[in-house]
Amino acid sequence: MWDLLEAPEGRTLSVSELVARLRTALVDEFGALWIEGEIASLHRSRAGHVYFDLKDPDAQLRAVIFRRSAVELPFQPQEGMQVLAHARLDVYPERGLLQLIVEELKPRGEGALRLAFEQLKVRLAAEGLFDPEHKKPLPFMPRCIGLVTSRQGAAIHDFLRGLRQRFAASEVLLYDARVQGEGAWREVVRGLHLLDTRPGVDVIVVARGGGSIEDLWTFNREELVRAIFELGTPVISAIGHEVDVVLTDLVADARAATPTTAAELVVPDAAALLRQIHDFERQLVRRQRTRLQILWHQLDGLGRGLVHPAQRLAELERRLEHARVRLANAVARERERATTRLGHLAQRLGRAVRRLQEKREAGLLTLRGTLDALSPLAVLGRGYGIARRESDGAILRASRQVSSGDAIHLRLSRGALRAAVTETLEE
Amino acid sequence: MGEREELDFEGAMSRLEALVGSLEAGDLSLEDSLRTFEEGIRLVRLCSERLKSAELRIRQLEEGAEGVTERTLDVQEEE
């Protein structure tokens, strides 16, 4: 039988004491640790904490991510997801439960990474980070090409080879960054920021050779994706092989399937450009030749229209002679016409004069009759005489016109008398 | 950065195309067409030279005590 009153040997602990000692022991023994497992029985509390079981085939542990850490997670943990948790062990005193307090969680393995990738892609896409309207145009011919990649990797050789084949006269400014592993994204972001502000860098290529999704995970880092989104310089993402798609491919201004083909996006094809330039040159020469031929032709035509001065002079002389002849003819004709007219006029004048004379003679006859009637001579016929001073022929109308002894002429109706004044008598 | 960066290649190509076009239109005076032709040939020469300089130049950005510096890389070193 058991003696219910007998005290046990050794010290007795309260539950709280034991739990407290357990917690101390756990912290001392384990501290913070990385633990890998699969997520099961996940649920979120209304307060924002995430509770789940972390398990492997043989064991499981209760785990919690408090809200403060949960909001920092780059992806949403899901049941069945393989994860790596950064956690510390603790005992939940009220229920005596051993649990993991998870501070940080990383997807583990391809499945989990794919899931995390899809989640992040959806979230960033919803924010508009991949929208086409944010894509910056690539330069036609960059003055300098910024390149972020590892000098140790294969990508740099592939890219430079492509560049040399397509456009050898290129200028490259390299930022040597780790492209894989913990913290590699920080180096890539640093390179992007440095190159972004370098004068002459017109485009930046981020390159890395192919690899597993874990190898390429750097280029799915949200921080790197956001850095590319915010960069002023156009960015070309040339990560992995054709089938590998990473988030930098989606956010970049252009995506190259491989580092080798990136050159096609970065620089124009020098050979094609040279062909185009030579084509321009041929056209220039051909058009100019045609143009000159046309001008030459026109000049030739104009030349035919031109006349030598001597020829022109002869022509002028000929025209002058012609004019002179015409003038002479005209003058002769005019003279003839004038002569004729003069003749006519003379005839008409003669006729007119004759008519006038005839008329006058006729008039005169009439006039003579009239005159005869009025003539002093007719009066003389009636017995009057006209006395004139012999000296000047003045007709005497008064006796004092003459003196005694003056010779006078006395016209009678028939004949005349010369007489001397013997005496003058007053009236 | 050397003098070869000073040429706006894309602008020069567009200009060249425009010059060919205006010569083609044929409504230029003799003097203008000669000027156009000469400018075109000059651009052809400039652009060709830019393309034919076959040297690939690589420099590397480095962060050190004296800040960010550039160092010329031997191309062979990278091939």
Side-chain angles (χ1 to χ4, degrees):
Chain A
M1 288 295 287
W2 295 332
D3 188 343
L4 295 176
L5 297 176
E6 194 180 334
E9 286 171 24
R11 215 167 89 67
T12 305
L13 295 172
S14 72
V15 177
S16 297
E17 275 179 305
L18 180 57
V19 168
R21 283 184 62 178
L22 266 173
R23 292 178 79 174
T24 308
L26 285 171
V27 171
D28 288 352
E29 178 66 23
F30 298 103
L33 48 85
W34 285 99
I35 177 169
E36 187 177 343
E38 186 191 316
I39 293 174
S41 311
L42 181 140
H43 91 270
R44 289 157 212 276
S45 77
R46 231 172 268 161
H49 313 309
V50 181
Y51 296 94
F52 58 93
D53 290 337
L54 194 64
K55 65 170 196 179
D56 61 21
D58 302 317
Q60 68 179 52
L61 271 172
R62 206 57 205 152
V64 61
I65 309 173
F66 290 119
R67 204 180 74 89
R68 176 175 42 82
S69 303
V71 295
E72 302 267 302
L73 289 177
F75 67 101
Q76 296 295 327
Q78 292 182 2
E79 290 181 3
M81 190 182 260
Q82 198 74 18
V83 292
L84 189 61
H86 192 226
R88 57 190 166 83
L89 268 174
D90 201 356
V91 177
Y92 180 43
E94 285 85 347
R95 303 195 54 186
L97 275 175
L98 186 65
Q99 67 177 6
L100 285 163
I101 313 293
V102 177
E103 308 274 347
E104 199 182 330
L105 204 60
K106 293 180 176 194
R108 199 72 178 145
E110 191 168 333
L113 285 171
R114 292 229 170 275
L115 215 55
F117 170 83
E118 287 304 325
Q119 287 176 359
L120 189 55
K121 188 171 99 172
V122 167
R123 185 154 58 84
L124 295 179
E127 271 188 55
L129 261 71
F130 308 146
D131 289 354
E133 63 256 37
H134 297 307
K135 305 288 182 200
K136 291 176 277 292
L138 301 178
F140 175 74
M141 189 182 288
R143 289 167 295 173
C144 181
I145 302 156
L147 176 61
V148 181
T149 193
S150 166
R151 268 189 72 181
Q152 274 69 50
I156 186 169
H157 304 292
D158 293 344
F159 177 68
L160 292 179
R161 194 183 322 112
L163 211 54
R164 184 170 283 117
Q165 280 170 6
R166 192 168 162 85
F167 197 95
S170 292
E171 183 125 2
V172 175
L173 186 54
L174 168 74
Y175 184 85
D176 183 18
R178 281 191 302 126
V179 289
Q180 185 175 346
E182 197 61 33
W185 65 269
R186 288 181 205 279
E187 293 185 24
V188 176
V189 168
R190 178 71 185 149
L192 286 172
H193 285 153
L194 281 179
L195 288 169
D196 190 36
T197 55
R198 298 306 281 190
V201 174
D202 292 329
V203 64
I204 300 173
V205 178
V206 181
R208 192 207 185 283
S212 69
I213 186 165
E214 281 108 330
D215 291 341
L216 301 180
W217 194 254
T218 295
F219 301 94
N220 288 323
R221 286 296 297 223
E222 186 173 347
E223 295 89 337
L224 175 54
V225 173
R226 290 192 184 280
I228 289 175
F229 181 74
E230 280 153 20
L231 216 64
T233 310
V235 175
I236 294 171
S237 172
I239 309 298
H241 299 305
E242 203 139 351
V243 290
D244 302 324
V245 175
V246 289
L247 293 181
T248 56
D249 288 342
L250 304 180
V251 76
D253 300 293
R255 182 216 170 189
T258 67
T260 311
T261 56
E264 289 170 21
L265 294 174
V266 178
V267 290
D269 182 1
L273 280 177
L274 268 176
R275 278 196 298 276
Q276 197 183 347
I277 289 165
H278 289 148
D279 191 47
F280 279 149
E281 186 179 20
R282 265 197 303 280
Q283 287 186 59
L284 276 173
V285 169
R286 188 157 50 82
R287 306 239 183 271
Q288 187 64 355
R289 189 179 294 145
T290 310
R291 169 96 183 128
L292 286 178
Q293 274 169 355
I294 289 169
L295 280 169
W296 187 247
H297 203 69
Q298 286 172 349
L299 210 58
D300 209 30
L302 283 173
R304 236 171 273 146
L306 280 178
V307 186
H308 191 273
Q311 215 177 323
R312 177 124 184 96
L313 203 61
E315 164 72 10
L316 278 176
E317 272 173 2
R318 200 180 59 73
R319 283 176 61 188
L320 196 61
E321 179 56 28
H322 185 65
R324 195 157 51 213
V325 169
R326 281 180 62 194
L327 185 63
N329 287 344
V331 167
R333 252 197 321 277
E334 196 55 38
R335 192 181 290 151
E336 205 173 303
R337 193 157 49 218
T339 310
T340 312
R341 272 185 74 195
L342 215 55
H344 285 313
L345 280 174
Q347 279 175 14
R348 282 174 64 190
L349 191 61
R351 273 200 297 276
V353 168
R354 267 197 305 282
R355 262 202 306 280
L356 205 58
Q357 282 173 343
E358 284 164 11
K359 216 184 266 174
R360 190 182 291 166
E361 279 164 16
L364 273 175
L365 285 174
T366 323
L367 198 59
R368 188 173 293 157
T370 316
L371 277 175
D372 280 353
L374 294 173
S375 172
L377 298 178
V379 179
L380 294 177
R382 292 205 298 267
Y384 295 93
I386 299 167
R388 290 170 191 266
R389 216 160 37 203
E390 190 80 12
S391 56
D392 58 359
I395 291 172
L396 299 175
R397 290 187 179 83
S399 57
R400 48 191 169 78
Q401 281 181 271
V402 289
S403 309
S404 171
D406 282 354
I408 60 167
H409 185 275
L410 201 61
R411 174 77 194 248
L412 301 174
S413 181
R414 288 195 194 113
L417 301 168
R418 300 185 66 176
V421 177
T422 55
E423 194 187 354
T424 59
L425 303 170
E426 292 301 313
E427 271 182 270
Chain B
M1 252 134 282
E3 56 205 56
R4 73 183 187 188
E5 274 77 26
E6 284 165 20
L7 175 70
D8 169 15
F9 194 93
E10 197 177 13
M13 288 294 277
S14 313
R15 177 79 185 135
L16 202 45
E17 194 167 11
L19 291 176
V20 169
S22 63
L23 264 190
E24 189 173 26
D27 51 3
L28 296 176
S29 69
L30 178 59
E31 202 168 305
D32 284 343
S33 79
L34 281 173
R35 205 175 294 130
T36 302
F37 177 73
E38 277 163 13
E39 188 187 347
I41 294 300
R42 191 176 57 81
L43 286 175
V44 163
R45 210 161 292 148
L46 271 176
C47 291
S48 306
E49 277 167 17
R50 172 73 177 90
L51 293 176
K52 283 172 181 165
S53 66
E55 173 204 11
L56 181 65
R57 293 196 278 180
I58 307 173
R59 287 166 297 132
Q60 184 176 342
L61 268 186
E62 287 177 337
E63 285 182 281
E66 61 272 36
V68 180
T69 54
E70 289 183 14
R71 177 170 75 90
T72 301
L73 282 190
D74 182 1
V75 182
Q76 300 311 313
E77 202 180 330
E78 299 301 328
E79 296 287 301

